[in-house]
C-alpha cells in the first residue's frame, strides 16, 4: 500500500527516456546564448557609441526586448512571421532565445565595460592606440572577466527559460514531460524527472562557472 | 567629433621649415572650460629640446589639465599646440601618431592589470608600432633593466608596490621612444618611502637628455632637476623662472605663499 499516491519507482525507471529531450534543451540553450553573446556585445558597444543614431537603436532594442515576455517573442518568431517566412521550431527557439538574452547580455556587458576605470582607456590612447584597438586589447578583456558572474547567472536563466520552447513544438525537456505525462497519466512523476534534469544541468553550470571565476582571478587584486 | 573639423579646410600644402632653435613643444593661448568654469586661461608655454620644465601650483590650479591638453586627453576649447613647429590638430589619425611621441605617466599608473609587467611594456611596441614580438621583448627587458625591475618581468602588476608600478609605467611610456615625457603627478599616489625610487628614475632620464614636462609637488625634484619652474595659479601661469630664482626670490606674493605652505621650514640652504 502506498502512502503517497504516486509511483516514485517510475522516476528512476523512466529517467533516461528524457535524455534526448535534455540534449535538445542543451542545444537550443547553448546556441541561443551564443547568439545572445554576439548580439549582446554588438548592442553594448552600440549603446556606448558616440554616434547618436547607433546608441538610440541599441537603446530601443533593449527597451523592446527586455520589456516584452520571451513567450511573446517566441510566438512572433514561430507563428507571427509565417506570413513572410516559415521558420522551423528549433531555429525559431534559438533565434528567440538569442534575441531575448542578447538584450540582457548587452546590459551586462555595458555595465562591465563602464566599470573599467577610464584611466585604462587613457593609458592605451596615450600610447597612440586607436580607440577600437584599445577597446579590444585593453578594455574588453578586463570587462569580460568582470562580466563572468552575471553571464553565468544569465546562462542559468536561459536554460530554464528554454522550457518555453515547448510551446512551439521543440522536443525539449518540458514538451517531453508533457507528452510522457499525458501518455502515462503519471504527471507528477514525469515533471519530477523534468525538474531533476534541469537541476542537474544547472548544477553542472554553476560548478563550471565557479571554476572559471576562480581561474580568472589570477591577475586580479587591483 | 573630429570629422567636422576635417572638412573645414582643404589641406594646404604647408612648408615645413623646422627651425632647430624652435621650441620642441609650444602651447599657445590655450583655453579650457569645465562647463562655466574657466580652468585654463590663455595659457602659453614652450619647452625646448632636452629641457626639464616643472609645473607647480596648488591643486585646482589647472596644471594637470594643462598637461592632459597637451596630448589631447582633454580637448581645449581653443588655442594651439605645436610639436617641432607642427600644429597638432584634433584629428584621430594625427593624434594617434603624435601621442607616440608624447610619453605620458599618470598619477595612478594605469597599468594594464590583465597583462604581466613585460606585456605592459611590450603592448605599445607590438600593437601600435607593429614591432616583432621578440624584438619588442628584448627592448622591454632593456627598459625594465633601466628602471630596475628586470626581475619582475613576468609578474602581474597587482603583485607590485606603488613605486614599482610607476616605474613600469615609465618603462611602458619609454617603449614608444617618445621625444618628450609628460609626468602627471607621478609620485602623488605613492607612500612617502616609495617616492624616492620613482624620482631617481626620472632624474636619470633627465640626465640622459630627455625632454620633460612634469607636474609635481616634489619641490626637491623641481629644485635639483628642473631647468625651469612654472608656477600656476587659478588657471594662469603666474610666474616662470629658473629653480634658483623661483625658490629664493619669487616675484609674486601668491608664489611665495604657496612655497611657504609646501616647503618645510628651511634651516639652512
Amino acid at each position: 500500500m502506498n502512502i503517497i499516491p504516486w509511483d516514485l519507482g517510475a522516476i528512476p525507471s523512466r529517467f533516461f527516456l528524457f535524455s534526448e529531450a535534455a540534449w535538445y534543451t542543451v542545444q537550443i540553450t547553448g546556441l541561443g546564448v551564443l547568439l545572445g553573446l554576439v548580439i549582446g556585445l554588438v548592442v553594448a558597444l552600440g549603446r556606448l557609441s558616440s554616434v547618436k543614431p547607433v546608441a538610440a537603436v541599441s537603446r530601443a532594442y533593449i527597451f523592446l526586448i527586455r520589456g516584452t515576455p520571451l513567450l511573446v517573442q517566441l510566438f512572433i518568431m514561430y507563428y507571427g512571421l509565417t506570413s513572410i517566412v516559415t521558420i522551423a521550431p528549433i531555429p525559431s527557439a534559438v533565434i528567440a532565445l538569442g534575441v531575448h538574452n542578447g538584450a540582457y547580455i548587452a546590459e551586462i556587458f555595458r555595465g562591465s565595460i563602464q566599470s573599467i576605470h577610464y584611466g585604462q582607456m587613457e593609458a592605451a590612447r596615450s600610447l597612440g592606440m586607436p580607440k577600437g584597438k584599445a577597446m579590444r586589447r585593453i578594455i574588453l578583456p578586463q570587462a569580460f572577466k568582470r562580466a563572468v558572474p552575471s553571464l553565468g547567472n544569465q546562462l542559468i536563466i536561459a536554460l530554464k527559460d528554454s522550457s518555453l520552447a515547448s510551446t512551439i513544438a521543440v522536443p525539449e525537456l518540458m514538451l517531453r514531460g508533457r507528452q510522457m505525462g499525458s501518455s502515462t497519466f503519471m504527471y507528477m512523476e514525469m515533471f519530477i524527472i523534468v525538474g531533476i534534469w534541469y537541476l542537474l544541468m544547472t548544477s553542472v553550470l554553476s560548478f563550471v562557472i565557479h571554476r572559471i571565476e576562480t581561474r580568472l582571478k589570477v591577475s586580479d587584486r587591483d | 567629433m573630429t570629422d567636422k573639423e576635417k572638412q573645414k579646410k582643404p589641406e594646404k600644402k604647408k612648408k615645413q621649415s623646422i627651425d632647430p632653435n624652435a621650441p620642441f613643444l609650444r602651447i599657445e593661448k590655450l583655453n579650457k572650460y569645465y562647463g562655466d568654469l574657466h580652468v585654463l586661461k590663455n595659457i602659453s608655454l614652450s619647452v625646448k629640446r632636452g629641457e626639464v620644465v616643472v609645473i607647480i601650483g596648488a591643486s585646482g590650479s589647472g596644471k594637470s589639465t594643462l598637461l592632459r591638453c597637451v596630448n589631447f586627453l582633454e580637448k581645449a576649447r581653443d588655442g594651439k599646440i605645436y610639436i617641432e613647429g607642427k600644429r597638432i590638430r584634433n584629428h584621430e589619425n594625427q593624434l594617434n601618431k603624435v601621442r607616440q611621441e608624447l610619453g605620458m605617466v599618470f598619477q595612478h599608473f594605469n597599468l594594464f592589470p590583465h597583462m604581466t609587467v613585460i606585456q605592459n611594456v611590450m603592448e605599445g611596441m607590438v600593437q601600435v608600432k607593429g614591432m616583432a614580438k621578440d624584438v619588442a621583448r628584448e627592448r622591454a627587458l632593456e627598459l625594465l633593466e633601466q628602471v630596475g625591475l628586470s626581475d619582475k618581468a613576468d609578474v602581474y602588476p597587482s603583485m607590485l608596490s606603488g613605486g614599482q608600478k610607476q616605474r613600469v609605467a615609465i618603462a611602458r611610456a619609454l617603449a614608444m621612444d617618445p621625444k618628450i615625457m609628460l609626468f602627471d603627478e607621478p609620485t602623488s599616489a605613492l607612500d612617502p618611502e616609495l617616492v624616492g625610487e620613482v624620482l631617481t628614475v626620472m632624474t636619470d632620464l633627465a640626465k640622459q637628455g630627455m625632454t620633460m614636462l612634469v607636474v609635481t609637488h616634489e619641490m626637491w625634484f623641481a629644485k635639483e632637476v628642473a631647468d625651469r619652474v612654472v608656477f600656476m595659479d587659478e588657471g594662469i601661469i603666474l610666474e616662470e623662472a629658473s629653480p634658483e630664482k623661483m625658490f629664493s626670490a619669487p616675484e609674486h606674493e601668491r608664489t611665495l605663499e604657496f612655497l611657504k605652505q609646501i616647503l618645510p621650514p628651511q634651516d639652512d640652504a
Side-chain angles (χ1 to χ4, degrees):
Chain A
M1 250 298 225
N2 280 335
I3 301 170
I4 49 169
W6 305 304
D7 177 10
L8 296 185
I11 294 174
S13 67
R14 316 269 165 129
F15 191 75
F16 289 102
L17 295 179
F18 287 75
S19 320
E20 204 190 337
W23 178 232
Y24 274 110
T25 291
V26 169
Q27 287 180 84
I28 57 170
T29 305
L31 291 175
V33 168
L34 221 56
L35 178 62
L37 284 168
V38 175
I39 293 177
L41 181 59
V42 172
V43 174
L45 292 174
R47 264 215 67 167
L48 296 170
S49 168
S50 50
V51 185
K52 288 224 169 87
V54 174
V57 168
S58 306
R59 255 202 316 278
Y61 179 86
I62 292 166
F63 171 74
L64 285 176
I65 300 301
R66 216 170 44 164
T68 53
L70 174 57
L71 193 54
V72 173
Q73 292 157 15
L74 272 166
F75 278 23
I76 287 179
M77 195 58 73
Y78 186 60
Y79 298 112
L81 290 180
T82 40
S83 50
I84 308 168
V85 57
T86 310
I87 309 173
I90 291 174
S92 293
V94 168
I95 295 170
L97 279 169
V99 166
H100 183 78
N101 283 285
Y104 286 93
I105 292 173
E107 287 295 86
I108 292 172
F109 279 153
R110 180 178 67 92
S112 62
I113 289 170
Q114 284 178 323
S115 78
I116 304 299
H117 191 262
Y118 65 86
Q120 290 290 309
M121 183 52 103
E122 288 189 345
R125 301 308 306 277
S126 76
L127 294 175
M129 211 180 265
K131 210 175 188 178
K133 191 170 238 180
M135 189 48 103
R136 219 168 52 239
R137 295 279 315 169
I138 307 302
I139 307 299
L140 286 182
Q142 298 182 58
F144 278 135
K145 202 191 261 188
R146 276 188 206 178
V148 165
S150 310
L151 287 178
N153 203 31
Q154 191 61 37
L155 180 57
I156 287 173
I157 293 173
L159 183 89
K160 294 183 294 175
D161 280 357
S162 73
S163 60
L164 288 171
S166 64
T167 60
I168 59 166
V170 176
E172 48 69 75
L173 270 176
M174 188 65 197
L175 184 62
R176 183 76 176 146
R178 274 164 54 195
Q179 287 167 344
M180 293 288 283
S182 59
S183 63
T184 61
F185 292 106
M186 293 192 285
Y187 284 105
M188 178 58 103
E189 294 82 343
M190 295 307 132
F191 286 124
I192 286 177
I193 293 177
V194 170
I196 293 173
W197 271 104
Y198 279 116
L199 203 55
L200 275 175
M201 291 191 285
T202 52
S203 306
V204 171
L205 284 181
S206 302
F207 176 75
V208 171
I209 292 158
H210 183 75
R211 283 290 295 272
I212 294 174
E213 275 180 51
T214 324
R215 288 188 98 178
L216 286 177
K217 274 194 186 125
V218 187
S219 68
D220 267 2
R221 225 183 65 185
D222 221 45
Chain B
M1 47 192 148
T2 58
D3 292 40
K4 258 183 240 160
E5 268 182 292
K6 219 178 258 175
Q7 281 150 3
K8 250 188 212 163
K9 277 178 215 161
E11 285 282 343
K12 282 179 283 186
K13 281 261 165 70
K14 283 168 271 186
K15 44 183 166 89
Q16 213 124 198
S17 51
I18 294 176
D19 176 2
N21 293 321
F24 176 76
L25 165 72
R26 189 150 59 89
I27 303 165
E28 224 178 74
K29 296 185 178 159
L30 210 64
N31 280 291
K32 168 80 184 168
Y33 295 79
Y34 288 128
D36 287 335
L37 196 65
H38 198 173
V39 283
L40 294 180
K41 300 168 186 161
N42 237 15
I43 298 275
S44 296
L45 178 69
S46 293
V47 182
K48 288 197 285 267
R49 193 179 300 278
E51 200 179 19
V52 177
V53 174
V54 170
I55 305 175
I56 59 173
S59 57
S61 59
K63 51 198 195 313
S64 280
T65 309
L66 174 62
L67 203 69
R68 293 162 57 80
C69 282
V70 170
N71 71 351
F72 287 78
L73 286 178
E74 306 266 0
K75 318 274 158 132
R77 177 181 292 184
D78 51 57
K80 295 170 185 163
I81 290 168
Y82 298 87
I83 293 190
E84 295 185 304
K86 195 175 168 202
R87 169 100 188 262
I88 309 304
R89 290 168 197 278
N90 190 11
H91 295 169
E92 272 313 289
N93 290 339
Q94 192 191 14
L95 286 186
N96 289 336
K97 283 208 188 74
V98 166
R99 283 183 179 137
Q100 297 177 41
E101 300 179 350
L102 308 169
M104 180 87 175
V105 176
F106 300 88
Q107 182 178 354
H108 295 288
F109 333 126
N110 299 346
L111 291 181
F112 307 133
H114 58 303
M115 298 180 181
T116 61
V117 163
I118 193 155
Q119 285 169 340
N120 265 276
V121 181
M122 288 167 62
E123 182 67 9
M125 290 191 278
V126 175
Q127 295 297 327
V128 180
K129 290 196 150 189
M131 284 167 70
K133 272 204 175 143
D134 48 336
V135 183
R137 172 170 288 272
E138 219 162 280
R139 175 80 182 122
L141 279 170
E142 275 172 34
L143 288 164
L144 288 176
E145 178 93 57
Q146 188 183 334
V147 299
L149 287 172
S150 29
D151 56 325
K152 300 286 184 192
D154 293 314
V155 306
Y156 283 97
S158 57
M159 304 302 289
L160 302 179
S161 73
Q164 291 171 330
K165 282 183 191 170
Q166 196 58 298
R167 287 187 280 152
V168 174
I170 292 172
R172 178 178 67 179
L174 288 173
M176 303 308 288
D177 272 321
K179 293 178 177 164
I180 181 170
M181 287 286 283
L182 310 172
F183 290 88
D184 184 7
E185 303 202 27
T187 58
S188 297
L190 298 178
D191 291 337
E193 77 271 21
L194 302 177
V195 169
E197 61 190 71
V198 173
L199 290 184
T200 306
V201 168
M202 290 169 62
T203 308
D204 287 346
L205 263 183
K207 277 185 196 150
Q208 289 164 26
M210 177 60 80
T211 312
M212 291 162 66
L213 185 56
V214 184
V215 170
T216 186
H217 291 290
E218 295 300 328
M219 292 305 137
W220 170 87
F221 184 82
K223 265 186 191 166
E224 299 299 321
V225 185
D227 296 306
R228 193 147 48 93
V229 180
V230 171
F231 176 69
M232 280 186 73
D233 187 44
E234 294 182 349
I236 62 167
I237 292 179
L238 194 63
E239 192 161 352
E240 223 180 306
S242 67
E244 296 77 28
K245 177 154 191 319
M246 183 70 83
F247 291 107
S248 59
E251 274 176 21
H252 290 264
E253 189 61 26
R254 258 312 276 131
T255 318
L256 195 63
E257 241 171 68
F258 171 78
L259 290 174
K260 259 189 201 157
Q261 277 170 6
I262 203 158
L263 288 174
Q266 285 172 318
D267 32 342
D268 204 13

